[in-house]
Every structure is written in structure tokens, then in C-alpha cells.
């Protein structure tokens, strides 16, 4: 396990929307470099950067045309080298996005695979036996190749699935086993891409759709074997580099697949959803909701099952948001968002902050889809830095911006958050600093549940010498407290009376001792 993960707090950057250094309306690598001091000041010491590879951008870069080439709009390979060097000098690690399950349909591998004449890339993608062979259970593109056959796509039509074989073979005329030499060749191609960037100094990868490799693999047995093999390569050649999976199944990803981290994703009705963003009849019924109508049952049932079985192998990672979800401001008030940040920064695992969440950026609901964003587009708008033109994101004319900035008169910015005691930014910065200061608030102590009951708005847990309290309701709540306890953080009012603490409404409290 890379030692630096113990104290890591990540900041996710959507590069086209973060900061435009050259004035063309699109964020770029030089823009990231210029804002590294800001990220450092917030307290984040690691980055996850969404894809910067050459792409036709049918899916915002998750359709890779050339895995070893930087997209022109972001800069050059020299810019990447400068970013890595500068970040490392500042003590900041950098993860790139890895997209192993598919490529763009303009990728040279696929252009060769489409040809009728057999070549070295013929078996790198999944084609049916003939154009008339189109089983309805698969997502297929039909009749668009010189080659006689239809090909599988992972999601959009522009994303042909790479061939890692099949676990259960249902159509033997065209499905290859996962341990075939053809499927193993694909694994080696992905390893080669990883080595290229790791050798340049990248500190690891966030892996897109990590569980999507082998088809007909419902229990992910074969897919896990592939990642375990890749983890062996990492441990041998890059032991200080890390992998985080987009999987949301820690027993499979951490225990079986060998990932160092696994994201707790927002799947409707799961633990993450019912904690933060569980919409029922367009109202948020999650535990951390302004109406305080949720309960902890689903989350605790999942978490207390997975955490003890995986904590020795890797980290379950909470994120404030990501590029695929509506921002938290769509679901809850700034007051409640600060409570959720308190939770995330005091839980085991490695926390991830999505750019703009530290200032309460809003989810823009009235935007036309951009580069395959669709409902996700509203969470990908430009970072809001200050009150200058385009809220400080770019000097370009408004018509040239990647996406429009928030035009609200009260649009939150870094400028109007910094230095204001009650701001989301200052609250999060304080919490990150506490996490860095106290090992018990990171991963050197276990999670111990103290109080949680269905229908109750009080939530209490211990982390070593620390106890964390939440009252998500508007009413006072009473809980036990150590007589000599030291309050090191609070949101809202509280009253300590000997061995009892009274928490006023919408409050969080962290005590030591």
C-alpha cells in the first residue's frame, strides 16, 4: 500500500472547466499548474485529473483516440511534464484517468479492427460472427464496418468495447474466453499505456468503469483476476503508485481486484444515495437532507458489512461529488453541505473533493448537453474564481467558453468564500487541516458506531480518541460526552453540561478525549 495514501485528500479536476490559461475558452494544463498553490492552500495534496488524452470528445474525453498523446486543446506532453514536476515539488500527487474498457471509434486500433483483412488488432475488439448475428442482449453497432460483423459498445455508439474475453460463453462462434491469448493481449496493451504514464511520473490512476472488462462476468471473477494481475505489476515496478476504482463494490475491487481505493458511488437507493441524495417525489429524503427525513439504515447495513472485511486491503472512498452527478447544491442547503463535509473528512478512507464543491458551486439545470454530458453537463461548468470577466475562468469572449458560467448575481466564487468564517470553503479547509493534523481522523483508527437509530436524527461515532456528533434535525439533541472532552470543531451551537452535550439544530461536533 502506498504510504502517502494514509494522509491523502484528493481534488478532482475536470480540465476543460478548471482554468483557461491561454484565453481560448477551454481549461488547460497550464491553467492547472497556475492554480496548484490554491489547491495546496485548501489542504488537498493529491489530484485526480479527468482524461487529457487525444479524443474526438464525443464523451468529454472518455472516448480515447490516442492513449499516449495529449489532446491539443489541453496543451502538450511538455506541459504534462511541467505539471508533474511542479506538483511533486509542492508535495502533491497526481492521478490520471484510465479508460480501459473501450476506446473511441476513431482510435487507430479500432480503425484496423474494422478492416476485412485480418491484422494484429482484429481481435482487440468484440465482433460477432457476421453482420446478421446481432443478439439482442448486447449493445451492438450493426452494418457500419468493412468487416463482416457487428461490434459491441460499452455505452455510447462511439465507444467500441475492448476485448477482454467472456467468462460465460453463450455464443462460441465469436466469443473468446477471458484467458485466451487474444484477450490477454488486450490486458498487455493496457499495461503498456499505464507504464508509459507511470514512467513519466504519474502517481497512479482512477480507473473508469473498472468492473466492465470481461463480458458475461456477473460476479466479476475474471475481471478481478485481470486487476489483481495489474496490481502485481504495480507492486513490483511502481510500489508507490495507486489505483482507485469506479466500482462501488469494495469486497470485489479491494479484496479480489487489488485496488488500493474504491469509490462509494451514488447508485439510487444505496448507502451513498440514502446518506446524501435520495430523491423521492423530487424531495430529498436522505439522512443529510434539510428536511431531516432520512435514516441511516441502508448506509450502515452496507458500510458495516464492507468496512471490516476490506479495511486491511484498501480504502472505501467518499467523494463530495464528481463529474457524473448533480452537484450537492441541487439536493441540500449550504448549511447541510457543511455537515456532509464534516462527515466525509472524519471517516476512514481517502476523501475526494470535486472542483467547485469547496465554494458551493451550483448545478446548472438549463444547459444543452455538451460532449455527451446530457444531465451531467450542469456539473461541468467553469470554476468560479472571482468577480472578473467569466468569473475569472477565462479571458475569452463568452461565446467561446466551453460552457457558460453561473450568471446569478450571487454566484459563489473563491473570492467571496475565502476569509468568510461561515463559508463552505473555510469550513472545508478547517476540516482538511484537522484530518492532516490528527491521525485518528484518517485511517490509523477504526470506525466505531456509538449511536444510530432508525428514525433518529442523531448520529455519533468514534475514531480513536475522537468522537464525532451530528444532529441533522432542527431540534435539540442530547448525547453523552466525556467530562474532560476538548471540543476541536463545531458547526452551530452546543452546550456541555458535565457528561452531557446538547446539540442545537443542524450541528456537528468533534471532540477529543
Amino acid at each position: 500500500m502506498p504510504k502517502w495514501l494514509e494522509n491523502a485528500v484528493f481534488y478532482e479536476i475536470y480540465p476543460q472547466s478548471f482554468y483557461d490559461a491561454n484565453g481560448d475558452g477551454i481549461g488547460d494544463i497550464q491553467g492547472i499548474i497556475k492554480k496548484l498553490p490554491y489547491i495546496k492552500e485548501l489542504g488537498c495534496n493529491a489530484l485526480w485529473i479527468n482524461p487529457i488524452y487525444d479524443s474526438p470528445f464525443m464523451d468529454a474525453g472518455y472516448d480515447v483516440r490516442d492513449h499516449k498523446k495529449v489532446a491539443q486543446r489541453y496543451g502538450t506532453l511538455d506541459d504534462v511534464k511541467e505539471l508533474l514536476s511542479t506538483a511533486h515539488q509542492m508535495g502533491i500527487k497526481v492521478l490520471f484517468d484510465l479508460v480501459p474498457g473501450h476506446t473511441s471509434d476513431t482510435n487507430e486500433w479500432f480503425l484496423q479492427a474494422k478492416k476485412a483483412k485480418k491484422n494484429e488488432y482484429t481481435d482487440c475488439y468484440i465482433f460477432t460472427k457476421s453482420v446478421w448475428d446481432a443478439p439482442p442482449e448486447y449493445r451492438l453497432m450493426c452494418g457500419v464496418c468493412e468487416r463482416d460483423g457487428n461490434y459491441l459498445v460499452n455505452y455510447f455508439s462511439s465507444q467500441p468495447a475492448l476485448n477482454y474475453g467472456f467468462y460465460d460463453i453463450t455464443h462460441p462462434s465469436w466469443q473468446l474466453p477471458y484467458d485466451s491469448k487474444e484477450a490477454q493481449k488486450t490486458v498487455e496493451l493496457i499495461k503498456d499505456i499505464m507504464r508509459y504514464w507511470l514512467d513519466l511520473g504519474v502517481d497512479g490512476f482512477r480507473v473508469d468503469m473498472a468492473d466492465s472488462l470481461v463480458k458475461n462476468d456477473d460476479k466479476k471473477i475474471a475481471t478481478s483476476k485481470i486487476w489483481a494481475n495489474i496490481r502485481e505489476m504495480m507492486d513490483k515496478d511502481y510500489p508507490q503508485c495507486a489505483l482507485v476504482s469506479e466500482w462501488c463494490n469494495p469486497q470485489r475491487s479491494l479484496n479480489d481486484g487489488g485496488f488500493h481505493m474504491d469509490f462509494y458511488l451514488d447508485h439510487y437507493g444505496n448507502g451513498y444515495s440514502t446518506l446524501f441524495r435520495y430523491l423521492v417525489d423530487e424531495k430529498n429524503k436522505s439522512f443529510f437532507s434539510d428536511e431531516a427525513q432520512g435514516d441511516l439504515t441502508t448506509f450502515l447495513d452496507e458500510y458495516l458489512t464492507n468496512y471490516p472485511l476490506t479495511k486491511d486491503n484498501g480504502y472505501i472512498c467518499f467523494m463530495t461529488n464528481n463529474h457524473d452527478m448533480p452537484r450537492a447544491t441541487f439536493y441540500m442547503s449550504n448549511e447541510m453541505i457543511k455537515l456532509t463535509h464534516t462527515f466525509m473528512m472524519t471517516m476512514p478512507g481517502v476523501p475526494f473533493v470535486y472542483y467547485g464543491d469547496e465554494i458551493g458551486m451550483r448545478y446548472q439545470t438549463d444547459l444543452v448537453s455538451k460532449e455527451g454530458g446530457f444531465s451531467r453537463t450542469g456539473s461541468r461548468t467553469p470554476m468560479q474564481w472571482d468577480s472578473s470577466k467569466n468569473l475569472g475562468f477565462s479571458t475569452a469572449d463568452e461565446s467561446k467558453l466551453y460552457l457558460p458560467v453561473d450568471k446569478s448575481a450571487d454566484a459563489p466564487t473563491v473570492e467571496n468564500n475565502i476569509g468568510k468564517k461561515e463559508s463552505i470553503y473555510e469550513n472545508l479547509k478547517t476540516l482538511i487541516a484537522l484530518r492532516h493534523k490528527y491521525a485518528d481522523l484518517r485511517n490509523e483508527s477504526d470506525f466505531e458506531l456509538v449511536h444510530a437509530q432508525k428514525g433518529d436524527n442523531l448520529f455519533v461515532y468514534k475514531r480513536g480518541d475522537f468522537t464525532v456528533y451530528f444532529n441533522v434535525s432542527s431540534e435539540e439533541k442530547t448525547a453523552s460526552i466525556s467530562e474532560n472532552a476538548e471540543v476541536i470543531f463545531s458547526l452551530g451551537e452546543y452546550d456541555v453540561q458535565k457528561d452531557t452535550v446538547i446539540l442545537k439544530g443542524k450541528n456537528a461536533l468533534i471532540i477529543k478525549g
Side-chain angles (χ1 to χ4, degrees):
M1 178 68 68
K3 181 65 177 175
W4 59 270
L5 286 178
E6 168 62 33
N7 194 27
V9 177
F10 276 85
Y11 190 87
E12 180 192 350
I13 292 176
Y14 194 67
Q16 51 267 62
S17 293
F18 190 58
Y19 184 66
D20 171 22
N22 63 6
D24 66 356
I26 298 178
D28 43 50
I29 297 168
Q30 283 296 326
I32 297 173
I33 295 170
K34 291 182 185 300
K35 295 299 184 180
L36 286 175
Y38 164 79
I39 295 167
K40 181 74 172 179
E41 179 66 19
L42 177 62
C44 294
N45 54 8
L47 303 179
W48 158 28
I49 302 176
N50 297 121
I52 59 166
Y53 317 115
D54 178 48
S55 169
F57 292 101
M58 298 298 292
D59 187 18
Y62 284 92
D63 48 327
V64 181
R65 181 163 50 203
D66 189 334
H67 293 86
K68 296 181 181 179
K69 182 179 179 181
V70 178
Q72 184 176 2
R73 74 186 194 182
Y74 296 135
T76 66
L77 186 61
D78 284 340
D79 291 326
V80 170
K81 292 177 180 177
E82 182 182 351
L83 168 64
L84 295 171
S85 174
T86 306
H88 290 160
Q89 289 173 18
M90 297 174 66
I92 298 174
K93 302 291 186 180
V94 181
L95 297 193
F96 276 8
D97 234 312
L98 181 69
V99 190
H102 53 261
T103 69
S104 164
D105 58 4
T106 62
N107 188 295
E108 183 59 29
W109 300 351
F110 186 67
L111 296 179
Q112 293 300 318
K114 288 171 64 176
K115 293 181 177 180
K117 185 177 180 179
K118 190 172 179 64
N119 59 71
E120 63 176 311
Y121 295 104
T122 295
D123 295 316
C124 285
Y125 297 84
I126 305 171
F127 282 79
T128 62
K129 188 67 173 179
S130 77
V131 74
W132 313 117
D133 189 0
E137 65 267 29
Y138 297 105
R139 191 187 294 260
L140 296 166
M141 286 297 293
C142 302
V144 293
C145 296
E146 172 187 289
R147 177 176 175 176
D148 184 9
N150 306 309
Y151 60 88
L152 271 67
V153 296
N154 269 350
Y155 203 75
F156 292 159
S157 63
S158 58
Q159 295 168 320
L162 284 164
N163 183 18
Y164 294 89
F166 288 72
Y167 187 71
D168 289 327
I169 295 178
T170 55
H171 296 75
S173 64
W174 54 270
Q175 294 177 353
L176 295 168
Y178 72 91
D179 55 357
S180 65
K181 68 180 190 313
E182 294 87 353
Q184 291 305 306
K185 178 182 177 180
T186 308
V187 176
E188 294 306 316
L189 285 172
I190 295 301
K191 284 184 180 178
D192 178 67
I193 293 165
M194 295 175 70
R195 289 191 186 99
Y196 176 81
W197 292 108
L198 293 170
D199 288 343
L200 280 173
V202 172
D203 298 294
F205 299 94
R206 173 267 188 182
V207 180
D208 182 64
M209 295 175 62
D211 65 340
S212 71
L213 303 189
V214 178
K215 306 306 180 187
N216 293 355
D217 185 20
D218 292 343
K219 294 184 178 180
K220 308 302 177 183
I221 294 170
T223 297
S224 295
K225 287 181 179 180
I226 290 174
W227 290 118
N229 176 261
I230 290 173
R231 172 65 185 269
E232 289 180 12
M233 177 196 79
M234 299 276 287
D235 287 348
K236 178 178 179 293
D237 298 330
Y238 309 97
Q240 289 305 306
C241 293
L243 290 173
V244 56
S245 61
E246 183 187 34
W247 197 318
C248 198
N249 190 321
Q251 292 190 53
R252 287 177 177 170
S253 61
L254 303 178
N255 293 353
D256 301 335
F259 280 89
H260 302 94
M261 299 170 279
D262 183 46
F263 280 128
Y264 205 163
L265 299 171
D266 177 32
H267 295 161
Y268 186 73
N270 76 343
Y272 188 99
S273 169
T274 54
L275 268 182
F276 306 120
R277 45 183 68 209
Y278 186 49
L279 292 185
V280 179
D281 297 328
E282 299 184 354
K283 293 184 179 180
N284 189 0
K285 301 289 188 178
S286 68
F287 181 75
F288 285 104
S289 66
D290 291 282
E291 293 78 14
Q293 294 180 345
D295 67 71
L296 290 166
T297 303
T298 303
F299 164 68
L300 290 173
D301 284 350
E302 286 184 358
Y303 190 76
L304 293 178
T305 297
N306 286 311
Y307 173 68
L309 295 176
T310 61
K311 65 186 180 68
D312 294 332
N313 294 324
Y315 302 119
I316 299 172
C317 297
F318 287 91
M319 53 188 174
T320 63
N321 204 75
N322 70 13
H323 60 287
D324 285 333
M325 303 188 298
R327 287 189 182 272
T329 47
F330 182 68
Y331 298 90
M332 61 188 77
S333 67
N334 289 356
E335 182 181 30
M336 190 58 65
I337 287 172
K338 288 190 284 186
L339 289 176
T340 69
H341 288 175
T342 306
F343 170 79
M344 293 178 189
M345 293 300 152
T346 57
M347 286 292 287
V350 180
F352 282 69
V353 178
Y354 184 51
Y355 86 97
D357 280 359
E358 74 274 22
I359 59 171
M361 276 180 59
R362 298 174 181 133
Y363 174 63
Q364 305 296 312
T365 60
D366 57 350
L367 300 180
V368 175
S369 177
K370 180 77 171 185
E371 296 183 352
F374 298 100
S375 63
R376 306 172 296 179
T377 302
S379 292
R380 301 176 176 187
T381 54
M383 178 65 177
Q384 298 160 195
W385 295 100
D386 54 44
S387 58
S388 65
K389 182 178 181 180
N390 299 319
L391 299 185
F393 165 68
S394 172
T395 59
D397 291 340
E398 183 179 329
S399 62
K400 294 183 178 180
L401 296 184
Y402 175 76
L403 282 169
V405 298
D406 186 347
K407 295 181 175 60
S408 305
D410 61 347
T413 66
V414 172
E415 181 182 58
N416 63 30
N417 263 258
I418 286 182
K420 294 188 176 180
K421 183 180 179 182
E422 302 303 318
S423 70
I424 292 176
Y425 174 90
E426 293 295 346
N427 179 71
L428 181 58
K429 182 179 177 181
T430 297
L431 289 164
I432 294 174
L434 289 174
R435 188 176 180 92
H436 288 320
K437 181 177 181 180
Y438 297 111
D440 275 349
L441 295 180
R442 300 194 298 267
N443 294 294
E444 293 185 18
S445 63
D446 286 341
F447 173 87
E448 180 185 342
L449 182 63
V450 176
H451 178 88
Q453 294 179 0
K454 189 176 181 68
D456 191 348
N457 301 123
L458 180 68
F459 181 27
V460 185
Y461 54 84
K462 292 183 68 68
R463 301 294 319 285
D465 288 338
F466 295 82
T467 306
V468 187
Y469 300 80
F470 293 95
N471 174 15
V472 300
S473 74
S474 298
E475 303 173 351
E476 289 185 357
K477 293 287 181 179
T478 302
S480 299
I481 191 172
S482 302
E483 288 194 36
N484 298 318
E486 173 191 1
V487 175
I488 66 167
F489 177 87
S490 67
L491 276 175
E493 299 179 4
Y494 64 92
D495 182 24
V496 176
Q497 298 177 0
K498 198 175 180 180
D499 59 354
T500 300
V501 60
I502 301 171
L503 289 90
K504 308 297 184 181
K506 310 295 186 186
N507 199 356
L509 192 67
I510 305 174
I511 63 118
K512 184 176 186 293

